[in-house]
PDB file of all heavy atoms in Angstrom:
ATOM      1  N   ILE A  76      -7.145  45.151 -19.608  1.00 97.00           N
ATOM      2  CA  ILE A  76      -7.300  43.772 -19.132  1.00 97.00           C
ATOM      3  C   ILE A  76      -7.399  42.843 -20.316  1.00 97.00           C
ATOM      4  O   ILE A  76      -8.177  43.078 -21.251  1.00 97.00           O
ATOM      5  CB  ILE A  76      -8.585  43.613 -18.306  1.00 97.00           C
ATOM      6  CG1 ILE A  76      -8.616  44.618 -17.170  1.00 97.00           C
ATOM      7  CG2 ILE A  76      -8.696  42.165 -17.779  1.00 97.00           C
ATOM      8  CD1 ILE A  76      -7.746  44.287 -15.988  1.00 97.00           C
ATOM      9  N   LEU A  77      -6.617  41.788 -20.312  1.00 98.00           N
ATOM     10  CA  LEU A  77      -6.778  40.694 -21.270  1.00 98.00           C
ATOM     11  C   LEU A  77      -7.352  39.548 -20.498  1.00 98.00           C
ATOM     12  O   LEU A  77      -6.792  39.106 -19.456  1.00 98.00           O
ATOM     13  CB  LEU A  77      -5.433  40.297 -21.871  1.00 98.00           C
ATOM     14  CG  LEU A  77      -5.482  39.126 -22.878  1.00 98.00           C
ATOM     15  CD1 LEU A  77      -6.261  39.544 -24.119  1.00 98.00           C
ATOM     16  CD2 LEU A  77      -4.095  38.671 -23.246  1.00 98.00           C
ATOM     17  N   ARG A  78      -8.525  39.048 -20.885  1.00 98.00           N
ATOM     18  CA  ARG A  78      -9.243  38.030 -20.159  1.00 98.00           C
ATOM     19  C   ARG A  78      -9.325  36.770 -21.014  1.00 98.00           C
ATOM     20  O   ARG A  78      -9.680  36.816 -22.199  1.00 98.00           O
ATOM     21  CB  ARG A  78     -10.629  38.482 -19.811  1.00 98.00           C
ATOM     22  CG  ARG A  78     -11.448  37.454 -18.988  1.00 98.00           C
ATOM     23  CD  ARG A  78     -12.860  37.974 -18.753  1.00 98.00           C
ATOM     24  NE  ARG A  78     -12.830  39.263 -18.097  1.00 98.00           N
ATOM     25  CZ  ARG A  78     -13.812  40.140 -18.234  1.00 98.00           C
ATOM     26  NH1 ARG A  78     -14.848  39.854 -19.035  1.00 98.00           N
ATOM     27  NH2 ARG A  78     -13.788  41.276 -17.602  1.00 98.00           N
ATOM     28  N   ILE A  79      -8.977  35.639 -20.393  1.00 98.00           N
ATOM     29  CA  ILE A  79      -9.063  34.356 -21.045  1.00 98.00           C
ATOM     30  C   ILE A  79     -10.003  33.476 -20.236  1.00 98.00           C
ATOM     31  O   ILE A  79      -9.671  33.154 -19.067  1.00 98.00           O
ATOM     32  CB  ILE A  79      -7.695  33.696 -21.246  1.00 98.00           C
ATOM     33  CG1 ILE A  79      -6.667  34.651 -21.792  1.00 98.00           C
ATOM     34  CG2 ILE A  79      -7.839  32.433 -22.145  1.00 98.00           C
ATOM     35  CD1 ILE A  79      -5.229  34.118 -21.805  1.00 98.00           C
ATOM     36  N   GLN A  80     -11.141  33.123 -20.808  1.00 97.00           N
ATOM     37  CA  GLN A  80     -12.046  32.302 -20.074  1.00 97.00           C
ATOM     38  C   GLN A  80     -11.807  30.823 -20.379  1.00 97.00           C
ATOM     39  O   GLN A  80     -11.330  30.486 -21.480  1.00 97.00           O
ATOM     40  CB  GLN A  80     -13.487  32.670 -20.485  1.00 97.00           C
ATOM     41  CG  GLN A  80     -13.867  34.092 -20.086  1.00 97.00           C
ATOM     42  CD  GLN A  80     -15.232  34.459 -20.528  1.00 97.00           C
ATOM     43  OE1 GLN A  80     -15.542  34.472 -21.712  1.00 97.00           O
ATOM     44  NE2 GLN A  80     -16.085  34.810 -19.588  1.00 97.00           N
ATOM     45  N   GLN A  81     -12.112  29.959 -19.401  1.00 97.00           N
ATOM     46  CA  GLN A  81     -11.996  28.499 -19.572  1.00 97.00           C
ATOM     47  C   GLN A  81     -10.676  28.132 -20.204  1.00 97.00           C
ATOM     48  O   GLN A  81     -10.635  27.519 -21.293  1.00 97.00           O
ATOM     49  CB  GLN A  81     -13.173  27.991 -20.436  1.00 97.00           C
ATOM     50  CG  GLN A  81     -14.514  28.279 -19.778  1.00 97.00           C
ATOM     51  CD  GLN A  81     -15.673  27.858 -20.638  1.00 97.00           C
ATOM     52  OE1 GLN A  81     -15.726  28.239 -21.850  1.00 97.00           O
ATOM     53  NE2 GLN A  81     -16.590  27.097 -20.122  1.00 97.00           N
ATOM     54  N   VAL A  82      -9.609  28.502 -19.539  1.00 97.00           N
ATOM     55  CA  VAL A  82      -8.267  28.289 -20.110  1.00 97.00           C
ATOM     56  C   VAL A  82      -8.017  26.827 -20.407  1.00 97.00           C
ATOM     57  O   VAL A  82      -8.517  25.920 -19.755  1.00 97.00           O
ATOM     58  CB  VAL A  82      -7.151  28.837 -19.215  1.00 97.00           C
ATOM     59  CG1 VAL A  82      -7.268  30.369 -19.059  1.00 97.00           C
ATOM     60  CG2 VAL A  82      -7.188  28.195 -17.828  1.00 97.00           C
ATOM     61  N   VAL A  83      -7.212  26.599 -21.447  1.00 96.00           N
ATOM     62  CA  VAL A  83      -6.752  25.258 -21.847  1.00 96.00           C
ATOM     63  C   VAL A  83      -5.218  25.283 -21.873  1.00 96.00           C
ATOM     64  O   VAL A  83      -4.573  26.356 -21.831  1.00 96.00           O
ATOM     65  CB  VAL A  83      -7.305  24.859 -23.245  1.00 96.00           C
ATOM     66  CG1 VAL A  83      -8.815  24.885 -23.206  1.00 96.00           C
ATOM     67  CG2 VAL A  83      -6.786  25.792 -24.325  1.00 96.00           C
ATOM     68  N   ARG A  84      -4.651  24.108 -21.917  1.00 95.00           N
ATOM     69  CA  ARG A  84      -3.165  23.990 -21.887  1.00 95.00           C
ATOM     70  C   ARG A  84      -2.497  24.826 -22.994  1.00 95.00           C
ATOM     71  O   ARG A  84      -1.450  25.402 -22.833  1.00 95.00           O
ATOM     72  CB  ARG A  84      -2.760  22.525 -21.988  1.00 95.00           C
ATOM     73  CG  ARG A  84      -3.044  21.688 -20.750  1.00 95.00           C
ATOM     74  CD  ARG A  84      -1.760  21.161 -20.132  1.00 95.00           C
ATOM     75  NE  ARG A  84      -2.057  20.594 -18.852  1.00 95.00           N
ATOM     76  CZ  ARG A  84      -2.330  19.317 -18.662  1.00 95.00           C
ATOM     77  NH1 ARG A  84      -2.371  18.486 -19.650  1.00 95.00           N
ATOM     78  NH2 ARG A  84      -2.556  18.876 -17.411  1.00 95.00           N
ATOM     79  N   GLY A  85      -3.152  24.878 -24.147  1.00 94.00           N
ATOM     80  CA  GLY A  85      -2.588  25.610 -25.269  1.00 94.00           C
ATOM     81  C   GLY A  85      -2.536  27.088 -25.048  1.00 94.00           C
ATOM     82  O   GLY A  85      -1.864  27.798 -25.842  1.00 94.00           O
ATOM     83  N   ASP A  86      -3.181  27.583 -24.035  1.00 96.00           N
ATOM     84  CA  ASP A  86      -3.088  29.020 -23.699  1.00 96.00           C
ATOM     85  C   ASP A  86      -1.806  29.369 -22.971  1.00 96.00           C
ATOM     86  O   ASP A  86      -1.509  30.562 -22.771  1.00 96.00           O
ATOM     87  CB  ASP A  86      -4.307  29.492 -22.874  1.00 96.00           C
ATOM     88  CG  ASP A  86      -5.635  29.289 -23.602  1.00 96.00           C
ATOM     89  OD1 ASP A  86      -5.619  29.323 -24.832  1.00 96.00           O
ATOM     90  OD2 ASP A  86      -6.644  29.089 -22.885  1.00 96.00           O
ATOM     91  N   SER A  87      -1.073  28.366 -22.517  1.00 96.00           N
ATOM     92  CA  SER A  87       0.149  28.656 -21.783  1.00 96.00           C
ATOM     93  C   SER A  87       1.147  29.376 -22.703  1.00 96.00           C
ATOM     94  O   SER A  87       1.498  28.887 -23.783  1.00 96.00           O
ATOM     95  CB  SER A  87       0.760  27.321 -21.335  1.00 96.00           C
ATOM     96  OG  SER A  87      -0.037  26.678 -20.395  1.00 96.00           O
ATOM     97  N   ALA A  88       1.545  30.504 -22.287  1.00 95.00           N
ATOM     98  CA  ALA A  88       2.417  31.389 -23.097  1.00 95.00           C
ATOM     99  C   ALA A  88       2.817  32.629 -22.295  1.00 95.00           C
ATOM    100  O   ALA A  88       2.372  32.800 -21.157  1.00 95.00           O
ATOM    101  CB  ALA A  88       1.643  31.832 -24.342  1.00 95.00           C
ATOM    102  N   ALA A  89       3.654  33.394 -22.912  1.00 94.00           N
ATOM    103  CA  ALA A  89       3.981  34.747 -22.332  1.00 94.00           C
ATOM    104  C   ALA A  89       3.155  35.767 -23.051  1.00 94.00           C
ATOM    105  O   ALA A  89       3.084  35.744 -24.283  1.00 94.00           O
ATOM    106  CB  ALA A  89       5.479  35.022 -22.460  1.00 94.00           C
ATOM    107  N   TYR A  90       2.501  36.587 -22.268  1.00 96.00           N
ATOM    108  CA  TYR A  90       1.622  37.657 -22.882  1.00 96.00           C
ATOM    109  C   TYR A  90       2.294  38.972 -22.596  1.00 96.00           C
ATOM    110  O   TYR A  90       2.504  39.362 -21.451  1.00 96.00           O
ATOM    111  CB  TYR A  90       0.226  37.538 -22.279  1.00 96.00           C
ATOM    112  CG  TYR A  90      -0.501  36.304 -22.695  1.00 96.00           C
ATOM    113  CD1 TYR A  90      -0.290  35.068 -22.011  1.00 96.00           C
ATOM    114  CD2 TYR A  90      -1.386  36.305 -23.792  1.00 96.00           C
ATOM    115  CE1 TYR A  90      -0.936  33.902 -22.412  1.00 96.00           C
ATOM    116  CE2 TYR A  90      -2.014  35.152 -24.178  1.00 96.00           C
ATOM    117  CZ  TYR A  90      -1.810  33.960 -23.491  1.00 96.00           C
ATOM    118  OH  TYR A  90      -2.418  32.834 -23.929  1.00 96.00           O
TER     119      TYR A  90
END
Side-chain angles (χ1 to χ4, degrees):
Chain A
I76 307 283
L77 179 68
R78 183 184 302 153
I79 312 172
Q80 296 177 301
Q81 298 176 310
V82 296
V83 300
R84 288 241 170 92
D86 298 332
S87 296
Y90 292 83

